């Protein structure tokens, strides 16, 4: 982990980006990866030394499955922090909300003091459980 002026918290490895370059999906406004099964999920990866044939991508742009260009604003409406706009995801606002609101709720309700996120931008939206462009 580290700090970045542009991206706030950074890592030298991203499971979402690994999934993207592996051909599993594209990004939405809130930075979630939208796959054929939607974006309400988690990714993991295993590193091996193995020569494989490349998988043909089902998309050509990094945000092809997101319907924001078609007028969808569902993730914007779902974000209680106001951290998602037509311009994208404001990680500073998002992290501030998690630190000040979600972490407190998790501690009070569940006694949990670890990393906390709300995830509302990934549920109750057209891309929650499918590729909305394909579903149309």
């Amino acid at each position: 982990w580290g700090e970045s002026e542009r991206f706030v918290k950074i890592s030298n490895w991203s499971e979402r980006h690994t999934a993207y370059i592996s051909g599993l999906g594209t990004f939405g406004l809130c930075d979630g990866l939208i796959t054929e099964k939607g974006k309400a999920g988690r990714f993991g990866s295993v590193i091996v030394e193995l020569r494989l044939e490349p998988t043909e991508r089902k998309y050509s742009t990094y945000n092809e499955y997101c319907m924001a260009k078609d007028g969808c604003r569902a993730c914007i409406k779902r974000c209680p922090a106001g951290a998602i706009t037509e311009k994208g995801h404001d990680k500073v606002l998002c992290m501030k909300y998690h630190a000040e609101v979600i972490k407190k709720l998790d501690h009070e309700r569940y006694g949990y003091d670890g990393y906390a996120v709300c995830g509302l931008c990934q549920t109750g939206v057209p891309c929650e459980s499918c590729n909305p462009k394909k579903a149309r």
Side-chain angles (χ1 to χ4, degrees):
W1 287 95
E3 302 288 328
S4 163
E5 191 173 310
R6 181 172 175 206
F7 298 109
V8 190
K9 298 282 184 189
I10 59 170
S11 170
N12 63 355
W13 191 260
S14 166
E15 301 296 355
R16 291 177 303 119
H17 288 85
T18 302
Y20 168 76
I21 64 171
S22 297
L24 296 179
T26 71
F27 293 96
L29 269 182
C30 73
D31 291 334
L33 191 76
I34 304 168
T35 70
E36 295 297 325
K37 300 285 185 183
K39 70 176 175 177
R42 295 283 181 199
F43 296 96
S45 57
V46 177
I47 307 302
V48 297
E49 189 173 328
L50 180 66
R51 190 170 293 279
L52 298 169
E53 289 297 317
T55 303
E56 187 176 336
R57 303 288 182 268
K58 296 178 182 177
Y59 47 83
S60 56
T61 61
Y62 75 96
N63 61 353
E64 194 168 309
Y65 295 170
C66 182
M67 294 195 344
K69 295 181 293 277
D70 302 326
C72 180
R73 299 291 182 265
C75 61
I76 293 173
K77 293 173 187 167
R78 295 275 298 158
C79 181
I84 305 169
T85 67
E86 288 84 2
K87 293 179 182 178
H89 178 213
D90 182 328
K91 291 183 181 186
V92 174
L93 274 178
C94 185
M95 290 174 60
K96 185 177 179 183
Y97 183 81
H98 292 159
E100 295 174 1
V101 178
I102 301 300
K103 191 167 185 146
K104 182 180 175 187
L105 285 173
D106 280 353
H107 175 77
E108 290 171 359
R109 291 181 183 171
Y110 310 111
Y112 176 71
D113 293 314
Y115 180 70
V117 296
C118 72
L120 290 175
C121 60
Q122 297 191 37
T123 61
V125 293
C127 54
E128 175 183 7
S129 60
C130 68
N131 171 353
K133 295 272 183 151
K134 196 173 187 180
R136 287 209 245 159

